[in-house]
């Protein structure tokens, strides 16, 4: 039976098996298939394909042509992601932003680039390739190097920074730049939070957390500026990691004793600002202790065990390796850990290696994540990419690729958008560069 004589429901199933370029080729064969391949159902089905690293859920406002463009971009990006050597044949699009004395850089929503200099905060629109906002800072700014690993398209995003008070150079004033869905920016100065030059901070899900020099931990709900305090249960004062997860914030404290690295983990609920009054002390729901070395950690996924206990998955950077850490939340408030066995000094070149500056994005619509980190060895400097997948049965696979610096350039500071295939950073010439790895 000819293909075009099959009923629509069978043809839709056939289309689900094709790649986006093949669907477009099939569209050219006849009027009936042309009509079918322009149905929104076809492209929303392709959008759900776990092989493509996409934002969660195709927005209803997107037209079919918009969906096609997004999915074709994801298809091309998947090809590059699995083999960066393709960039040797077709170099990525490269653009430069000339700004003096860049000290901070962060990318948001695949469209905006926040750039901090010695005197101002600048918001650059990557779509129209121009500066859309500039905020002059009258006193010396202090940039908070925070990178959230949840890069979903929110209605607004926040850029926290601090500035020196005019009459007290030792005191820093917390400021937060809010950018709405239209790219309009405004600045709020936040009182009541202690900011020091060596403070540990984190941001996620409309909350901002900071540990001051005295060890006090403050939690701010940014939209209403409601301020809460964290009552840490561990005697260890050295907060090393702040990880926001859906509904929680996980604090990791690090202690070194007789060359042994010990981690203290405390999980706190994110307060409902409509119910919980400002000034409330937030107590930990779960605590645990772990002997394990890792330098950086990011949220990956959540799950339920067969016993109904909630599970939080992290990815942690140890030496040149990215590993998963499984945390099971027990009914008695403790944590059970399943940690990997890993060799922190293994690379194909068999040289001492160290990876750092991890940028990891967890996709909230599937158990997948993509990350990139800089790597340095006595004989190698370049990049490591990580593709993390968790199957239905709970098994996790991590594919790691070494990318030479002749493919991706060395950068002093950078940010990475795993959805768009966008690498932004500052090179040795103090230029802000934007590399679009997918054409």
């Amino acid at each position: 039976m000819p293909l075009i004589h099959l009923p629509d429901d069978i043809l839709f199933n056939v289309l689900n098996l094709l790649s986006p370029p093949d669907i477009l080729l099939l569209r050219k064969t006849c009027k009936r298939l042309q009509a079918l391949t322009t149905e929104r159902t076809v492209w929303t089905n392709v959008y759900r394909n776990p092989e493509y690293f996409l934002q969660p859920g195709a927005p209803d406002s997107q037209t079919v042509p918009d969906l096609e463009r997004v999915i074709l971009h994801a298809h091309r990006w998947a090809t590059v992601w699995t083999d960066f050597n393709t960039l040797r044949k077709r170099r990525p699009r490269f653009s430069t932003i000339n700004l003096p004395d860049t000290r901070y850089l962060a990318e948001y929503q695949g469209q905006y680039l926040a750039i901090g200099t010695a005197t101002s905060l600048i918001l650059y629109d990557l779509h129209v390739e121009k500066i859309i906002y500039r905020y002059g800072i009258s006193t010396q700014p202090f940039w908070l190097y925070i990178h959230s690993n949840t890069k979903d398209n929110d209605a607004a995003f926040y850029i926290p920074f601090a500035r020196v008070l005019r009459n007290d150079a030792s005191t820093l004033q917390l400021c937060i730049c809010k950018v709405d869905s239209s790219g309009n920016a405004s600045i709020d100065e936040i009182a009541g939070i202690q900011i020091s030059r060596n403070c540990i901070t984190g941001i996620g899900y409309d909350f901002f957390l900071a540990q001051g020099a005295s060890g006090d931990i403050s939690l701010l709900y940014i939209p209403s500026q409601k301020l809460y305090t964290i009552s840490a249960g561990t005697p260890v004062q050295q907060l090393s990691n702040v990880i926001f997860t859906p509904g929680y914030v996980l604090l990791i404290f690090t202690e070194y004793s007789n060359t042994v690295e010990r981690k203290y983990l405390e999980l706190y609920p994110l307060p409902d600002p409509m119910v919980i009054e400002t000034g409330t002390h937030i107590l930990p729901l779960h605590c645990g202790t772990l002997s394990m070395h890792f330098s950086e950690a990011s949220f990956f996924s959540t799950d339920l065990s067969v016993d109904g206990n909630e599970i939080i998955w992290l990815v942690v950077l140890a030496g040149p390796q990215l590993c998963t850490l499984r945390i099971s939340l027990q009914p008695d408030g403790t944590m059970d850990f399943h940690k990997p066995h890993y060799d922190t000094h293994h690379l194909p070149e068999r040289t001492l290696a160290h990876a750092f500056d991890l940028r990891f994005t967890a996709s909230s619509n599937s158990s997948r994540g993509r990350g990139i980190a800089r790597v340095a060895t006595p004989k190698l400097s370049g990049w490591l990419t990580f593709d993390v997948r968790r199957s239905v049965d709970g098994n996790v696979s991590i594919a790691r690729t070494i990318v030479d610096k002749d493919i991706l350039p060395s950068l002093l500071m950078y940010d990475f958008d795993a959805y768009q295939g966008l690498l932004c950073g500052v090179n040795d010439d103090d230029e802000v560069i934007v590399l679009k790895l997918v054409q």
Side-chain angles (χ1 to χ4, degrees):
M1 179 183 293
L3 184 67
I4 58 172
H5 292 166
L6 294 173
D8 285 357
D9 58 339
I10 300 297
L11 286 176
F12 279 131
N13 288 330
V14 171
L15 292 173
N16 288 341
L17 302 175
L18 300 180
S19 69
D22 288 339
I23 294 175
L24 295 183
L25 288 175
L26 194 64
R27 174 180 294 176
K28 299 177 181 179
T29 57
C30 67
K31 290 183 178 180
R32 185 185 176 205
L33 291 177
Q34 181 185 33
L36 281 178
T37 55
T38 55
E39 289 283 344
R40 183 179 178 84
T41 303
V42 172
W43 295 100
T44 53
N45 287 339
V46 177
Y47 198 100
R48 288 191 285 267
N49 187 337
E51 289 302 312
Y52 301 129
F53 199 71
L54 290 162
Q55 297 278 5
D60 294 335
S61 59
Q62 277 189 322
T63 64
V64 171
D66 288 338
L67 274 175
E68 290 180 12
R69 283 192 292 270
V70 169
I71 293 169
L72 285 169
H73 181 278
H75 177 81
R76 292 192 295 268
W77 175 219
T79 302
V80 173
W81 180 253
T82 55
D83 184 8
F84 272 85
N85 285 316
T86 58
L87 296 179
R88 295 184 188 274
K89 301 176 183 178
R90 187 168 60 182
R91 306 301 295 181
R93 183 183 173 190
F94 180 101
S95 60
T96 302
I97 307 170
N98 293 314
L99 291 171
D101 200 11
T102 299
R103 302 183 180 185
Y104 167 82
L105 179 144
E107 182 272 339
Y108 296 90
Q109 300 181 353
Q111 181 175 357
Y112 302 105
L113 192 61
I115 303 169
T117 72
T119 58
S120 60
L121 171 66
I122 294 167
L123 192 64
Y124 185 87
D125 191 320
L126 295 168
H127 289 180
V128 298
E129 297 186 348
K130 69 176 184 179
I131 295 173
I132 60 172
Y133 178 77
R134 186 190 296 266
Y135 176 73
I137 304 172
S138 57
T139 58
Q140 180 185 359
F142 179 76
W143 301 105
L144 303 174
Y145 297 94
I146 309 173
H147 293 274
S148 173
N149 76 319
T150 53
K151 298 250 183 195
D152 298 341
N153 281 327
D154 297 324
F157 61 89
Y158 306 98
I159 308 166
F161 64 97
R163 65 175 182 83
V164 173
L165 292 180
R166 191 177 300 276
N167 57 354
D168 184 1
S170 63
T171 303
L172 297 175
Q173 169 72 60
L174 174 64
C175 304
I176 294 181
C177 176
K178 177 182 176 180
V179 183
D180 66 19
S181 57
S182 300
N184 301 311
S186 59
I187 302 289
D188 287 329
E189 294 189 349
I190 310 297
I193 294 186
Q194 183 185 49
I195 294 290
S196 62
R197 295 183 185 275
N198 60 348
C199 69
I200 303 298
T201 59
I203 192 168
Y205 301 101
D206 292 339
F207 284 90
F208 172 83
L209 183 143
Q211 182 189 40
S214 64
D216 295 336
I217 301 174
S218 301
L219 182 65
L220 174 74
Y221 181 66
I222 301 173
S224 63
Q225 297 189 19
K226 279 192 171 184
L227 187 61
Y228 307 94
T229 58
I230 294 286
S231 298
T234 173
V236 178
Q237 294 293 311
Q238 183 57 52
L239 179 62
S240 53
N241 302 91
V242 179
I243 302 171
F244 281 90
T245 75
Y248 303 105
V249 58
L250 177 66
L251 305 185
I252 303 178
F253 302 82
T254 302
E255 179 184 46
Y256 297 92
S257 176
N258 297 325
T259 71
V260 175
E261 181 174 329
R262 188 174 296 276
K263 306 286 189 182
Y264 296 85
L265 288 77
E266 297 187 347
L267 186 71
Y268 296 83
L270 292 177
D272 183 350
M274 301 297 293
V275 177
I276 308 300
E277 293 298 325
T278 187
T280 301
H281 293 271
I282 308 301
L283 301 175
L285 294 177
H286 296 270
C287 302
T289 305
L290 175 69
S291 293
M292 180 180 179
H293 164 73
F294 56 83
S295 56
E296 302 177 41
S298 286
F299 169 71
F300 172 42
S301 181
T302 58
D303 197 6
L304 287 177
S305 69
V306 292
D307 299 327
N309 298 330
E310 191 171 357
I311 295 172
I312 296 176
W313 292 83
L314 304 182
V315 290
V316 297
L317 193 61
Q321 298 208 34
L322 191 74
C323 311
T324 55
L325 175 61
R326 181 180 182 268
I327 306 172
S328 178
L329 307 180
Q330 301 301 304
D332 61 357
T334 61
M335 297 177 175
D336 282 349
F337 301 99
H338 180 270
K339 62 179 181 178
H341 298 286
Y342 56 85
D343 174 9
T344 60
H345 303 307
H346 175 75
L347 269 182
E349 291 77 10
R350 300 185 182 277
T351 57
L352 184 66
H354 175 64
F356 57 100
D357 271 1
L358 173 68
R359 303 289 184 268
F360 184 81
T361 300
S363 175
S364 60
N365 67 335
S366 65
S367 298
R368 289 201 53 194
R370 284 181 178 177
I372 189 171
R374 294 190 282 179
V375 63
T377 76
K379 297 182 179 179
L380 169 72
S381 64
W383 301 84
L384 284 175
T385 66
F386 304 98
D387 189 271
V388 185
R389 303 186 185 212
R390 183 171 61 84
S391 61
V392 176
D393 58 9
N395 293 322
V396 177
S397 64
I398 301 178
R400 183 185 64 179
T401 304
I402 301 172
V403 182
D404 295 337
K405 64 180 180 180
D406 61 337
I407 298 178
L408 297 180
S410 297
L411 298 171
L412 301 177
M413 65 180 76
Y414 81 99
D415 205 358
F416 174 67
D417 190 310
Y419 289 120
Q420 300 294 327
L422 195 64
L423 182 66
C424 308
V426 179
N427 62 16
D428 293 333
D429 298 324
D430 200 31
E431 297 175 319
V432 177
I433 64 171
V434 179
L435 279 83
K436 296 183 178 179
L437 304 178
V438 187
Q439 303 297 325

